[in-house]
Amino acid sequence: LTVESDLQPDPGLLTAAAHKATELGDLVLAERVARAAIAAGGGFEPRLLLGNALHWAGRGTEAEAELAALQAVASTDAQRVQVAIPRMFTLASLGRITEVDAMVDAVTTTLSDDAAALDMVGGRAVIDAFGGRTMPAIEVATGVLAHPRCTPPAAQLATWAFAIAGGGLGRLEG
């Protein structure tokens, strides 16, 4: 209602609405409200939501353009990783695997926090598993999970890599 009203748009409210629309799986609404939040002066967060909504809606080329632009302005380790993870999956979905490797390497060299770097490594393991590089994916995922500063996102990505790689190797038991 706010988007179509004559009220002054509140970027925080619109960003929260974009989050909720994303949680509910309404990607059309998530995109619309995220774009309104951006137009109202919202910064990084609604742009990330927009990039994710475009990716999940199967609009990889548009998602990559948004995420690449956002990657260029990400200013913290957390922001760089928050953009790089969906960007690596978007590039992979577009079949641009060599660009995934280059982007992951470029982002990883900018990270000062080893825990943030683990998120990148976990995401790379997922890409390896999807690409049929099952043994490297399992080895990398094992290292991520064994790391003393393993973050919940890194653990989730490493576990996902295990599941994909294990299935590819015919290891279907827990």
Side-chain angles (χ1 to χ4, degrees):
L1 292 173
T2 298
V3 172
E4 295 181 7
S5 76
D6 60 353
L7 297 173
Q8 180 68 28
D10 176 353
L13 176 65
L14 293 168
T15 299
H19 266 291
K20 187 53 78 177
T22 300
E23 288 173 10
L24 295 172
D26 189 340
L27 301 176
V28 172
L29 182 60
E31 176 188 355
R32 183 169 169 226
V33 179
R35 287 188 190 281
I38 294 164
F44 180 86
E45 193 173 1
R47 290 185 67 192
L48 182 60
L49 288 164
L50 174 60
N52 280 318
L54 293 169
H55 170 77
W56 294 329
R59 294 164 53 195
T61 302
E62 293 171 79
E64 166 52 13
E66 183 63 36
L67 292 169
L70 188 55
Q71 186 102 63
V73 298
S75 61
T76 66
D77 281 355
Q79 286 182 347
R80 285 187 279 277
V81 170
Q82 286 176 315
V83 176
I85 299 291
R87 189 168 179 220
M88 76 172 70
F89 295 127
T90 299
L91 287 168
S93 74
L94 294 170
R96 294 162 54 182
I97 299 301
T98 56
E99 290 179 57
V100 171
D101 293 335
M103 187 271 299
V104 168
D105 290 344
V107 170
T108 302
T109 62
T110 68
L111 300 175
S112 59
D113 179 17
D114 64 335
L118 280 175
D119 293 352
M120 294 294 295
V121 173
R124 182 65 230 191
V126 173
I127 298 296
D128 284 345
F130 271 124
R133 296 178 298 276
T134 53
M135 290 311 295
I138 287 172
E139 290 169 14
V140 168
T142 299
V144 168
L145 291 171
H147 195 283
R149 291 194 61 215
C150 182
T151 64
Q156 181 180 25
L157 290 164
T159 302
W160 189 16
F162 268 121
I164 297 162
L169 293 170
R171 298 178 187 168
L172 304 177
E173 65 280 346

